[in-house]
Amino acid sequence: QITLKESGPTLVKPTQTLTLTCTFSGFSLSTSGVAVGWIRQPPGKALEWLALIYWDGDKRYSPSLKSRLTITKDTSKNQVVLTMTNMDPVDTATYYCAHRPGYCVGTGCYTDWGQGTLVTVSS
Amino acid sequence: QSVLTQPPSVSAAPGQKVTISCSGSSSNIGNNYVSWYQQLPGTAPKLLIYDNNKRPSGIPDRFSGSKSGTSATLGITGLQTGDEADYYCATWDSSLSVLFGGGTKLTVL
């Protein structure tokens, strides 16, 4: 059984840096083709893809947020960490991490999702 | 405004069929695989279709996906009240990022 869980602060102040951790089980991020991504969803709005890290360490970022995002992995701990700098109230959203298995050809294929964590940006 | 265009809402009666479109361009749908997600209220998205037309284990064959040129379509037959949800398409883009559509709210009348 594959599970993912996001953890991190629920409230951050404007200009602060957000650090979110995705802890997963049931798959290995050292297996060829596997990746973990981050997706967010502002209240009442659509999904927005943020970043992705592959089993081999290759990384991809949303072009509009690239300057603010960093994604890293710790394979031994089964964790993926996303940091987002210079937080703003418009970044208030539920943040999800998700698993992309190796058998998917498409990059937008996420078979398993965490429950999400709501991050509010407010002073 | 998403690069992938979906109708904001669709509706149909129980037992009927509905289709949801996702329109893009050669930079995304036209040259990449499409996935479809269902998001029930207050829950995380659930993968319904991947690689244009494949269903993950456990997804009933009432759900189908197709792609033609720069557009993709999700079909749902035998509509049930439990299918009321938001539906999203997703694909890779030449900007080296994943794109999600703006979402479609399905109402089962």
Side-chain angles (χ1 to χ4, degrees):
Chain A
Q1 180 190 5
I2 290 175
T3 65
L4 303 97
K5 186 170 185 178
E6 307 86 354
S7 59
T10 58
L11 179 66
V12 298
K13 290 179 167 44
T15 76
Q16 286 186 336
T17 294
L18 171 68
T19 299
L20 293 173
T21 300
C22 176
T23 303
F24 58 85
S25 64
F27 68 94
S28 172
L29 196 40
S30 59
T31 300
S32 178
V34 173
V36 171
W38 285 92
I39 301 99
R40 72 179 180 179
Q41 185 172 38
K45 296 188 177 181
L47 300 170
E48 179 183 18
W49 181 81
L50 300 176
L52 174 69
I53 188 164
Y54 287 94
W55 85 102
D56 61 358
D58 193 15
K59 305 170 186 179
R60 295 286 183 261
Y61 295 101
S62 165
S64 63
L65 294 168
K66 186 174 184 177
S67 64
R68 299 173 53 205
L69 295 173
T70 302
I71 189 169
T72 61
K73 66 182 177 76
D74 187 330
T75 304
S76 64
K77 292 184 178 179
N78 281 352
Q79 290 183 333
V80 171
V81 175
L82 181 76
T83 61
M84 180 180 291
T85 62
N86 195 24
M87 293 293 284
D88 183 273
V90 300
D91 296 313
T92 294
T94 296
Y95 287 75
Y96 298 98
C97 64
H99 163 235
R100 178 193 179 275
Y103 62 76
C104 285
V105 178
T107 311
C109 169
Y110 294 100
T111 52
D112 310 276
W113 294 61
Q115 63 188 24
T117 184
L118 176 61
V119 177
T120 301
V121 184
S122 174
S123 55
Chain B
Q1 195 87 7
S2 176
V3 174
L4 301 182
T5 302
Q6 297 182 233
S9 63
V10 295
S11 62
Q16 297 299 304
K17 174 182 178 178
V18 71
T19 60
I20 298 173
S21 61
C22 177
S23 179
S25 69
S26 58
S27 297
N28 38 71
I29 292 178
N31 284 286
N32 292 286
Y33 290 88
V34 178
S35 298
W36 287 93
Y37 296 88
Q38 176 193 62
Q39 187 176 32
L40 298 170
T43 68
K46 176 183 179 181
L47 182 66
L48 292 177
I49 298 290
Y50 69 97
D51 293 351
N52 298 335
N53 54 20
K54 297 177 182 176
R55 287 187 309 275
S57 174
I59 300 299
D61 59 8
R62 300 189 300 109
F63 296 92
S64 64
S66 63
K67 190 185 98 167
S68 179
T70 59
S71 292
T73 301
L74 173 70
I76 311 173
T77 59
L79 274 174
Q80 303 173 1
T81 55
D83 296 331
E84 283 206 340
D86 293 324
Y87 292 83
Y88 295 91
C89 58
T91 191
W92 185 247
D93 185 80
S94 61
S95 62
L96 302 183
S97 64
V98 173
L99 299 178
F100 281 95
T104 298
K105 182 177 180 62
L106 169 64
T107 300
V108 181
L109 303 169

